[in-house]
Amino acid sequence: MNRTSALGLLGLSEPIRAQDVQAAFRQRVKRAHPDLNGTDAPLRRLILARDLLMRQLRNGPDISEIIEELSDPAEPLRLSVETAVTGGGIVTDVPLPLELIHDAGPGRSLMHRKTLRITLPAGLRDGERLRLKAARPGGTEHVFRIEIERREDLHAEGHDLCLTVPVEARRLRLGGQVRVETPHGPQTVDLSDAVDNRLTLKGLGLPATARYPAGDLHLRFEAFETPMRPASDLLAEFHRKWA
């Protein structure tokens, strides 16, 4: 947004005074309220236009000045991998602009927060947009950008999941079955099927949705050494069992 577009948005023409900007803003701000438009974008643009013009009235007009508008109005919604897999209810706070108008002076732009309780579908992908429709006609609609948390042992890659599983080094060398806790629940896998300590479980990544296919679960087995127990501990345990 530049000076020309700010003037047009507020319905003003040169020359302008501070009281002209404030009066034009007050005339339009109520019609731009999020509850009337289903989004806070019109109110945000009005605030940007007013703030740009007021600043230039203080510092001198600058037709080359540009204020970048918010290109992605979606609020980040951070989910655990488990929630992305199974869906379910979460509670989150979202910011909303609140314009305080005073007849005797300039308005102040503040942000307040609103608590939302959301029921999420299973199979959300990282970066996906989730649109939450207003609960009542004329209410505010919210758009969220999904962010799936990345843990050291577990993260999402596209449709797939990657899980690091610690396994005792001796057990990893000998092979055999182990029980692995996954976002889909416990799974029994055979270490003998692993290649370079890696194993893929088909269809156990992020679940299929109307837009996306089911992903896979990629397991990486990480060996750890079991510390040797002192001989005195082994002898004491022997006596306890056979005393």
Side-chain angles (χ1 to χ4, degrees), residues 87-107:
I90 65 168
V91 177
T92 187
D93 287 341
V94 294
L96 293 173
L98 174 66
E99 190 67 20
L100 302 181
I101 307 299
H102 302 287
D103 292 336

Side-chain angles (χ1 to χ4, degrees), residues 88 101 117 198 215:
I101 307 299
R117 289 171 174 80
R198 297 176 184 273

Side-chain angles (χ1 to χ4, degrees), residues 37-50:
N37 294 275
T39 173
D40 61 10
L43 178 54
R44 289 179 183 271
R45 296 195 74 233
L46 279 178
I47 294 171
L48 282 176
R50 184 204 58 189

Side-chain angles (χ1 to χ4, degrees), residues 22-37:
Q22 294 292 359
F25 179 82
R26 290 192 182 96
Q27 288 175 2
R28 287 163 175 74
V29 70
K30 292 183 180 179
R31 297 197 299 270
H33 195 280
D35 285 345
L36 297 178
N37 294 275

Side-chain angles (χ1 to χ4, degrees), residues 66-95:
I66 295 177
I67 293 182
E68 290 188 6
E69 298 182 50
L70 188 62
S71 58
D72 183 3
E75 286 292 324
L77 187 62
R78 296 176 178 85
L79 310 179
S80 66
V81 171
E82 290 80 5
T83 301
V85 168
T86 63
I90 65 168
V91 177
T92 187
D93 287 341
V94 294

Side-chain angles (χ1 to χ4, degrees), residues 125-137:
R125 267 51 173 183
D126 196 58
E128 187 175 2
R129 297 300 193 271
L130 179 69
R131 187 176 298 275
L132 182 66
K133 294 184 178 180
R136 65 183 188 279

Side-chain angles (χ1 to χ4, degrees), residues 14 62 66 82 105 126 139 182-183 201:
E14 303 283 13
D62 181 358
I66 295 177
E82 290 80 5
D126 196 58
T182 79
L201 303 182

